[in-house]
Amino acid sequence: MPASQTVSPAGVEEIIARHLHREGPLLPILHDLQDHFGCIPAEARPAIAAALNITQAEVHGVISFYHDFREEPAGRHVLKICRSEACQSMGGTALGEAVLTLLGLGWGETSADGRITVEPVYCLGLCACAPAAMVNGKLKGRAEAKALVAEVSA
Amino acid sequence: MKLYLSRDAAAKALGSEEVAEAILSEAAARGIEVSLTRTGSRGMTWLEPLLEVERDGVRHGYGPMTPETVPALFDGTLDGLGPVEAIPFFARQNRLTFARVGLIDPLSLAEYEAHGGLSGLRRALGMRAEHIIDEVKESGLRGRGGAGFPTGIKWDTVRLAPVERKYIVCNADEGDSGTFADRMLIEGDPLSLIEGMVIAGLGTGATQGYVYIRSEYPDAIAVMQEAIDIARANGVLGDVMGSGRRFDMEVRVGAGAYVCGEETSLLNSLEGKRGVVRAKPPLPALEGFLGRPTVVNNVLSLATIPVIFEKGAAHYAGLGLGRSKGTMPIQIAGNVARGGLFETAFGMPLGELVKDVAGGTATGRPVKAVQVGGPLGAYFAPGQFDTPFGYEEFDGAGGLIGHAGIVVFDDSADMLGLARFAMEFCAVESCGKCTPCRIGAVRGVETLDRVAKGDASAVPLLVDLCETMKDGSLCALGGFTPYPVLSALRLFPEEFAAQQEAAE
Ligand SMILES: Cc1cc2nc3c(=O)[nH]c(=O)nc-3n(C[C@H](O)[C@H](O)[C@H](O)COP(=O)(O)O)c2cc1C
Ligand code: FES
């Protein structure tokens, strides 16, 4: 996961400026901000709105539409488990439940110590080696609950 | 020693990076010189990580490899699979779109050209725009993203639009469960997608392209970006092959919204808006990205263009069944003994794919149902296995081929649970613009929960609700979610009633 950097207005401005030449720059800006800060910092919204000549409400509307964008940083480890049909056919539902039980978390929750966030994902394109998961950006085919939990318990 | 190992995401997910490391360190320890080429995947996912060793010009397979089997490989005691291209799953395919995937280094322009790459583009550069369109029309190519719309006709609409700036947008949002062909193509042969997009530009007069890739595909995003840089540095993009014609392109990354695979939602997302669906008309071909004429095509549609120009439209159109011309990269997934990518001419019966090609279930239990075409596709039962793989044939059987993903379930599948999941997925992913989808899906989940609790009167309600969603939704998300739900109900009515007895 990207190390969350402290938010500085200059940092935000610089990221925005990198994408202004693009046609439709908002998603690239949001991705870049999130890669950099671990979330879309609230402080960034007025700057984005001003740079793109849209309202802050519109910026918020876009951020909230997409599952990927976070308003708060995720845990240090992010575990995504596929819930879609091909994974279900290979025990994906049981995998998800086992992981949530082992971690004592619900879908989308972050542990109180900020160590781990578990999220559902709807297909990782690993449907021929299901069930699938992603641990801190690394893909796992034929995933097993204990091994996944071990990886995020460090 | 000349070795090849896939760097496809599925191979990585099964440990190819650890195998690569073990090979290099074992070779170093033994003082053996090896060249290890990283390729895309041959599509035999059950054999990944699949290592290939070249002997007398023939590539022999070993897999699935683990770091522990590497010493035996060097000792010459590891059992192999024989020549990779003779493995029956591979040998019975007809690979056109995927001809180079798994064979070459995806980022080597020289290998790309040595295997037929750029010959289609060279031919297209010598043709007038209308002849390029005619070639695509004659090939019979239909959109591989799901709707099956004739690609040549779409291109012609854009060509004829009297606007200067036009776009080619490649839809690589591939959100359907059970599909991964777009991902494999981009990771294994990204230059063919670039070549296809350039030809689309020449045919329509578009000069700028975008590839919209879902964020769940980090490997594909990285490979695509590198491939574009290589193509630009070598004059494939920019001033196209020194012809004076211009075309350039850029990768854009989605943000985890299934509905953004729908073309108008995708265009809104590209523009930096919420990915809500637009009402049609206007067609994107006339008013698409930023209101300008835009071709939106699936990865496979565009990546098939080069081979059509290389071998000629007649060659492509000569394959297939009825109005389903050419080949389809079929993705076999879920509970199967041999899962992966199988490209073949349209027409193979579903049962042959499931039983002979895929070898039945991974668990060894009987096949209960097969979902074809992703989360919006119908379930099929073994009684329908004679349905030939084709657009009209599947439509006639009450289903759709969609993006050609086949997900197999064994007899432990809970069809009521799967129907509920279809509604839940639609509720989670609805863009919210139309009521039948946004509200209907939520009601669908509630109604199925009533059925599960034994309320028989909820079944006709569910059927009614599905009709409303079919007729009243703005796009196929709400409009097609009833397919899996109603097919599960039709094929396995006892599972929607048995609950009731249990509750009584
Ligand atoms: C909810 C929904 C999701 C879709 N997802 C995709 C997708 O991921 N990839 C794709 O190519 N087409 C997808 N489509 C179909 C597109 O709207 C469109 O028909 C297609 O991109 C056109 O390209 P083609 O003619 O080459 O198939 C989706 C449609 C709907 C309704
Ligand atoms: S359905 Fe889980 S990876 Fe595709």
Side-chain angles (χ1 to χ4, degrees):
Chain A
M1 280 292 104
S4 326
Q5 317 265 324
T6 28
V7 181
S8 75
V12 169
E13 293 292 346
E14 191 197 312
I15 288 173
I16 294 172
R18 263 187 237 166
H19 301 284
L20 284 179
H21 68 282
R22 296 185 200 276
E23 297 176 304
L26 184 50
L27 257 66
I29 289 173
L30 294 176
H31 274 301
D32 204 351
L33 285 169
Q34 181 152 309
D35 285 347
H36 203 74
F37 298 113
C39 67
I40 314 291
E43 300 92 310
R45 268 190 232 159
I48 299 170
L52 301 186
N53 201 18
I54 55 179
T55 65
Q56 284 196 52
E58 282 172 285
V59 177
H60 177 73
V62 172
I63 295 170
S64 62
F65 181 86
Y66 296 96
H67 299 308
D68 278 4
F69 296 130
R70 308 174 193 283
E71 304 195 42
E72 299 288 331
R76 288 197 303 285
H77 298 289
V78 177
L79 176 52
K80 298 188 186 207
I81 299 173
C82 177
R83 293 191 63 202
S84 284
E85 290 91 340
C87 286
Q88 288 183 36
S89 79
M90 289 299 283
T93 308
L95 171 73
E97 282 164 9
V99 167
L100 293 178
T101 307
L102 286 168
L103 295 172
L105 294 174
W107 289 121
E109 288 180 3
T110 300
S111 60
D113 58 3
R115 187 167 49 82
I116 165 149
T117 301
V118 199
E119 292 180 334
V121 59
Y122 296 97
C123 193
L124 290 164
L126 302 177
C127 332
C129 52
M134 190 190 251
V135 190
N136 298 330
K138 196 164 182 264
L139 295 165
K140 303 278 170 188
R142 294 188 207 109
E144 287 169 15
K146 286 206 175 111
L148 291 180
V149 171
E151 281 206 44
V152 293
S153 297
Chain B
M1 220 174 162
K2 200 151 172 39
L3 308 175
Y4 301 83
L5 182 69
S6 167
R7 52 175 271 185
D8 175 275
K12 283 187 176 174
L14 295 169
S16 62
E17 298 321 282
E18 291 76 5
V19 170
E21 225 171 273
I23 289 170
L24 295 178
S25 62
E26 187 75 19
R30 295 180 186 228
I32 297 172
E33 206 172 303
V34 294
S35 96
L36 178 61
T37 303
R38 303 306 301 273
T39 62
S41 170
R42 296 275 195 170
M44 295 183 277
T45 312
W46 81 98
L47 295 175
E48 294 286 3
L50 172 61
L51 179 73
E52 300 180 22
V53 181
E54 191 171 304
R55 276 187 232 113
D56 306 323
V58 177
R59 281 155 67 164
H60 294 257
Y62 295 85
M65 291 291 295
T66 62
E68 291 71 39
T69 55
V70 167
L73 175 83
F74 284 99
D75 291 341
T77 57
L78 187 64
D79 278 340
L81 302 157
V84 170
E85 296 186 358
I87 296 173
F89 183 97
F90 194 89
R92 64 194 290 194
Q93 297 185 46
N94 188 350
R95 288 196 157 211
L96 294 177
T97 310
F98 273 73
R100 282 175 294 261
V101 176
L103 190 65
I104 65 165
D105 172 352
L107 293 173
S108 162
L109 189 59
E111 286 183 32
Y112 181 70
E113 281 199 78
H115 290 88
L118 297 185
S119 45
L121 175 57
R122 289 203 175 89
R123 187 174 154 228
L125 276 167
M127 293 164 78
R128 296 164 54 99
E130 52 268 45
H131 295 145
I132 292 178
I133 305 282
D134 285 343
E135 187 81 3
V136 177
K137 284 184 183 166
E138 281 161 26
S139 75
L141 178 68
R142 292 165 70 177
R144 301 298 189 224
F149 188 82
T151 304
I153 295 179
K154 187 182 283 187
W155 288 18
D156 213 15
T157 309
V158 174
R159 177 180 74 87
L160 293 169
V163 176
E164 197 153 329
R165 190 155 170 89
K166 306 175 185 181
Y167 298 96
I168 307 297
V169 170
C170 172
N171 187 341
D173 200 49
E174 196 168 62
D176 289 358
S177 165
T179 69
F180 42 82
D182 297 347
R183 176 184 67 63
M184 280 186 59
L185 191 287
I186 291 176
E187 291 175 12
D189 193 19
L191 294 164
S192 71
L193 176 56
I194 295 174
E195 185 179 347
M197 289 180 69
V198 176
I199 295 173
L202 297 175
T204 58
T207 50
Q208 176 67 34
Y210 290 97
V211 187
Y212 185 95
I213 310 181
R214 64 200 299 255
S215 62
E216 292 86 345
Y217 284 178
D219 292 274
I221 293 165
V223 174
M224 195 70 228
Q225 242 142 14
E226 266 186 85
I228 290 174
D229 292 343
I230 290 167
R232 195 179 292 128
N234 288 279
V236 178
L237 291 172
D239 174 6
V240 177
M241 317 279 282
S243 65
R245 308 286 303 274
R246 297 206 68 82
F247 191 83
D248 213 324
M249 57 191 278
E250 190 181 315
V251 173
R252 286 297 173 86
V253 179
Y258 174 74
V259 74
C260 286
E262 194 283 331
E263 57 187 2
T264 62
S265 159
L266 186 153
L267 292 170
N268 275 334
S269 183
L270 263 187
E271 290 178 9
K273 300 179 181 147
R274 296 163 67 88
V276 290
V277 171
R278 300 177 184 171
K280 284 189 268 190
L283 290 173
L286 294 172
E287 289 180 39
F289 183 53
L290 301 173
R292 302 197 182 104
T294 304
V295 168
V296 182
N297 268 145
N298 176 252
V299 174
L300 302 180
S301 315
L302 290 163
T304 302
I305 295 295
V307 72
I308 289 173
F309 280 79
E310 179 194 342
K311 295 192 192 282
H315 178 263
Y316 196 77
L319 299 163
L321 170 74
R323 289 176 51 219
S324 306
K325 305 277 191 215
T327 60
M328 187 74 209
I330 297 170
Q331 300 123 83
I332 305 176
N335 196 333
V336 280
R338 295 187 289 272
L341 185 127
F342 186 86
E343 181 176 352
T344 186
F346 283 98
M348 190 178 275
L350 178 59
E352 192 175 336
L353 288 163
V354 173
K355 287 194 227 147
D356 303 346
V357 174
T361 63
T363 45
R365 301 172 65 107
V367 173
K368 176 172 181 177
V370 176
Q371 186 178 29
V372 184
L376 309 176
Y379 287 96
F380 282 74
Q384 299 162 289
F385 274 5
D386 56 351
T387 313
F389 208 86
Y391 292 99
E392 281 68 33
E393 292 70 18
F394 266 59
D395 186 46
L400 49 97
I401 64 170
H403 187 48
I406 298 183
V407 177
V408 178
F409 294 82
D410 74 9
D411 61 354
S412 67
D414 162 15
M415 301 311 294
L416 176 64
L418 286 164
R420 186 189 189 280
F421 178 80
M423 286 290 188
E424 186 190 347
F425 181 74
C426 181
V428 171
E429 299 296 339
S430 174
C431 81
K433 180 148 173 175
C434 73
T435 321
C437 170
R438 185 184 70 235
I439 308 288
V442 176
R443 294 284 170 272
V445 173
E446 293 164 4
T447 311
L448 280 156
D449 284 341
R450 279 173 57 187
V451 177
K453 287 204 188 90
D455 181 354
S457 70
V459 172
L461 213 64
L462 178 69
V463 175
D464 259 12
L465 180 68
C466 283
E467 291 307 324
T468 307
M469 289 176 71
K470 268 192 193 171
D471 296 340
S473 297
L474 194 56
C475 86
L477 179 50
F480 286 14
T481 293
Y483 272 82
V485 176
L486 292 177
S487 58
L489 177 64
R490 190 178 66 245
L491 295 170
F492 304 96
E494 64 287 355
E495 296 196 28
F496 293 74
Q499 313 287 331
Q500 183 187 359
E501 282 152 32
E504 270 166 10

